[in-house]
Amino acid sequence: MEKIDRREAIKRTAAIMGCTLSGTLISAVLSGCSNTQTSSGWSPSALTNEQLQVAADLAEVILPATDTPGAKDAKVERFIDRMVSEFYPTAERNLIIDSLDELNRSDFLELNFENQTEFVSQFISNEENRDFFLLFKQTTLMGFFTSEIGATQVLQYDPIPGGYLGCESLEELGGKTWAT
């Protein structure tokens, strides 16, 4: 058996740990790069089609399309479905699903955008709905600003950033927050 010193043992352990971590990271990156989010054959995995439509409309109320794309343009409802399906604990998952069902039982989907906005204002004025709305809004913003549309069309994006420019005004740098 080969005898190694402490330094060599640490190097080999680090190499083994690095391979283990790299496998996990590669898997996460590859799953994030799949085109299931944009493919036309996509179907929800946690939400029903009705819940997905309510999620899309509610996300659009939070981030409407203006001179920039809105939540529906970025397909934020698909991100929400994935978060509910794979990442949120049971309590948060149930909160979102139950609240989307409650909105679906109301006439929320039948309203036009202006009336949906008013409906949401009344909905969140009820203390019981605030936890849901805060979680939903947080998920919507995360889904939008990490989407390609949010990162490249709303935020300032440079795939190959140059040098670091500290203490520059936002207006001099394009007037937008950086995505990268």
Side-chain angles (χ1 to χ4, degrees), residues 42-60:
W42 182 87
S43 62
S45 55
L47 304 177
T48 64
N49 288 331
E50 294 79 19
Q51 292 166 339
L52 195 70
Q53 185 59 47
V54 172
D57 283 8
L58 183 56
E60 187 71 13

Side-chain angles (χ1 to χ4, degrees), residues 17-39:
M17 294 301 290
C19 290
T20 303
L21 290 175
S22 293
T24 304
L25 290 174
I26 289 169
S27 174
V29 168
L30 290 178
S31 72
C33 293
S34 67
N35 66 352
T36 57
Q37 294 292 317
T38 57
S39 65

Side-chain angles (χ1 to χ4, degrees), residues 4 43 63:
I4 59 174
S43 62
L63 282 172

Side-chain angles (χ1 to χ4, degrees), residues 96-180:
I96 287 181
I97 288 174
D98 292 346
S99 297
L100 290 175
D101 281 339
E102 182 181 339
L103 286 169
N104 191 34
R105 285 189 297 273
S106 69
D107 57 352
F108 179 73
L109 286 178
E110 309 304 321
L111 302 172
N112 64 27
F113 178 76
E114 288 77 24
N115 291 335
Q116 283 182 334
T117 303
E118 179 63 31
F119 183 94
V120 169
S121 295
Q122 293 175 1
F123 182 77
I124 62 174
S125 67
N126 184 346
E127 189 70 33
E128 294 176 3
N129 298 325
R130 287 199 178 161
D131 288 343
F132 158 71
F133 189 74
L134 289 175
L135 177 63
F136 191 88
K137 184 177 176 181
Q138 174 186 352
T139 309
T140 298
L141 295 175
M142 184 174 17
F144 182 77
F145 288 111
T146 57
S147 72
E148 181 177 347
I149 286 176
T152 59
Q153 295 181 31
V154 176
L155 299 176
Q156 189 161 319
Y157 178 74
D158 186 359
I160 305 172
Y164 173 73
L165 302 174
C167 297
E168 296 289 329
S169 74
L170 188 61
E171 288 75 29
E172 291 176 17
L173 299 174
K176 296 180 182 177
T177 302
W178 284 92
T180 54

